[in-house]
Amino acid sequence: MPPSLTTEGEWSGSARGHIFYNNTSRDVTMTYAVAQDEGQGTAHTACVSRGQGSYFTMPMSVTKVTWREDDGSPCW
């Protein structure tokens, strides 16, 4: 299945999906909303480690991907 979103840098917009993989060499902060809220709900953020992914049990819409500022703390 083709990905809902493919980017090699920071991005904003709206991409709906269940699975997000970070195949870059840097950790990212992903901003998203649960799809059932149709963009009207709370925006959530998650740190996604380089070479890792996140799986969501409900459809969500990614609205922003930014490089994570490296403060020395691990990205879980």
Side-chain angles (χ1 to χ4, degrees):
M1 177 183 300
S4 299
L5 170 64
T6 302
T7 184
E8 293 182 10
E10 295 184 329
W11 174 88
S12 65
S14 182
R16 198 168 182 172
H18 281 275
I19 300 172
F20 177 84
Y21 290 107
N22 178 7
N23 291 325
T24 70
S25 61
R26 296 174 65 183
D27 295 344
V28 299
T29 299
M30 178 177 68
T31 304
Y32 65 95
V34 176
Q36 72 184 24
D37 296 337
E38 296 181 15
Q40 305 303 314
T42 304
H44 304 277
T45 59
C47 180
V48 183
S49 297
R50 60 185 169 262
Q52 300 293 317
S54 292
Y55 173 76
F56 295 86
T57 57
M58 291 186 211
M60 51 90 180
S61 293
V62 175
T63 57
K64 189 174 183 181
V65 175
T66 56
W67 298 123
R68 182 173 183 265
E69 294 297 323
D70 186 7
D71 62 1
S73 63
C75 180
W76 304 108

